């Protein structure tokens, strides 16, 4: 069973879109000359550029499946993933306790495959808690290879973890890839440096 959770999706999606604002060629303009022909003494108009929002790309959802997470919490986590599929092109789900146990990728049209995953497989783990392994996986498998496709990381957790001691070690956080911790209502807010990275913490209230 999936439980719906109240999350401020509009602000999260806006934050994700802002990371993908790029400059795109618009129409030819004589005010901007084509730089490739200038060395050959040929004057041709160049392209002016406009600011365009690419929209949302890939969302990584980190699911804490450690022993301190209840079955209700896991159902709520599934609800967050289900809702995120309306807003992002691809959703990569990384399930972890102290290590990563599962990696699943869904596109926004894979909602029934996600239901099948929840019904027949479910979240594996239930050991101790650490974010070190899963944060490192984001660094090496996604940030270093496809950073331009990443829009946001959402971590579903109770925050009884080592996050405050390790988060400054990762380039994807240093470089302001939005990171949102969605924390169970029996969890805790971590003491994090507000000047470091682009990090939010939201407590589940229902």
């Amino acid at each position: 069973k999936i439980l719906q959770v109240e999350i401020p999706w509009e602000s999260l999606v806006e934050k994700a879109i802002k990371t993908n604002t790029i400059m795109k060629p618009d129409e030819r303009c004589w005010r901007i000359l084509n730089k490739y022909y200038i060395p050959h003494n040929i004057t041709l108009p160049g392209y002016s550029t406009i600011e365009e929002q690419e929209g949302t790309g890939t969302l990584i959802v980190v699911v804490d499946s450690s022993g301190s997470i209840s079955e209700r919490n896991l159902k709520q986590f599934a609800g967050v993933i289900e809702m995120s599929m309306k807003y992002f092109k691809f959703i990569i789900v990384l399930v972890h306790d102290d290590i990563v146990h599962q990696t699943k990728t869904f596109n926004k049209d894979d909602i029934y495959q996600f239901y099948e995953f929840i019904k027949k497989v479910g979240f594996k783990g239930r050991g101790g808690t650490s974010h070190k392994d899963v944060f490192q996986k984001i660094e090496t498998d996604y940030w270093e290879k496809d950073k331009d496709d990443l829009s946001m990381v959402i971590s579903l957790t109770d925050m009884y973890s080592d996050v405050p001691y390790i988060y400054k070690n990762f380039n994807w956080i240093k470089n302001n890839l939005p990171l949102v911790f969605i924390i169970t209502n029996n969890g805790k807010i971590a003491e994090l440096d507000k000047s470091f990275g682009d990090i939010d913490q939201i407590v589940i209230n229902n």
Side-chain angles (χ1 to χ4, degrees):
K1 185 178 179 181
I2 290 175
L3 298 180
Q4 297 300 318
V5 178
E6 295 178 9
I7 298 293
W9 282 108
E10 288 187 6
S11 62
L12 295 188
V13 173
E14 181 183 8
K15 180 189 288 282
I17 289 175
K18 285 179 179 178
T19 67
N20 288 305
T21 299
I22 59 173
M23 301 305 292
K24 292 250 186 191
D26 191 13
E27 57 185 20
R28 287 191 178 275
C29 175
W30 282 103
R31 287 176 296 137
I32 302 173
L33 298 180
N34 192 316
K35 63 182 180 179
Y36 297 105
Y37 290 94
I38 292 176
H40 304 288
N41 294 318
I42 300 173
T43 304
L44 291 173
Y47 280 107
S48 62
T49 56
I50 59 172
E51 188 175 274
E52 182 172 296
Q53 292 180 337
E54 285 186 289
T56 54
T58 298
L59 167 70
I60 297 178
V61 181
V62 176
V63 178
D64 178 354
S65 63
S66 63
S68 60
I69 299 296
S70 69
E71 289 296 326
R72 176 179 172 80
N73 295 152
L74 292 177
K75 292 174 183 178
Q76 290 175 317
F77 291 171
V80 174
I81 298 170
E82 177 193 40
M83 185 63 68
S84 72
M85 298 178 80
K86 298 180 181 179
Y87 301 104
F88 294 86
K89 294 178 182 177
F90 296 97
I91 298 89
I92 298 169
V93 178
L94 304 177
V95 183
H96 76 104
D97 43 27
D98 58 338
I99 62 171
V100 177
H101 290 281
Q102 295 161 287
T103 302
K104 298 289 294 184
T105 301
F106 304 95
N107 66 44
K108 64 188 308 179
D109 298 319
D110 282 345
I111 187 68
Y112 291 106
Q113 285 92 326
F114 175 67
Y115 292 152
E116 285 295 298
F117 168 73
I118 293 298
K119 182 178 180 180
K120 296 183 178 180
V121 181
F123 300 127
K124 306 297 183 183
R126 319 306 280 158
T129 313
S130 172
H131 279 74
K132 183 177 180 180
D133 190 53
V134 71
F135 280 7
Q136 185 61 52
K137 185 174 181 65
I138 294 171
E139 181 96 4
T140 56
D141 290 6
Y142 303 105
W143 175 259
E144 293 178 0
K145 296 178 181 178
D146 298 302
K147 63 170 65 75
D148 291 339
D149 294 329
L150 299 180
S151 291
M152 177 175 283
V153 175
I154 290 178
S155 177
L156 306 170
T157 183
D158 58 9
M159 200 58 93
Y160 290 105
S161 183
D162 51 5
V163 171
Y165 309 103
I166 65 169
Y167 73 105
K168 290 188 176 182
N169 298 329
F170 299 96
N171 288 310
W172 59 273
I173 302 178
K174 291 178 185 177
N175 284 275
N176 296 311
L177 177 65
L179 169 60
V180 179
F181 292 100
I182 296 179
I183 302 168
T184 60
N185 60 9
N186 61 338
K188 64 176 183 176
I189 298 289
E191 294 185 9
L192 306 178
D193 183 353
K194 294 183 179 179
S195 67
F196 186 89
D198 183 0
I199 304 173
D200 288 320
Q201 299 185 70
I202 299 170
V203 177
I204 295 173
N205 291 319
N206 58 320

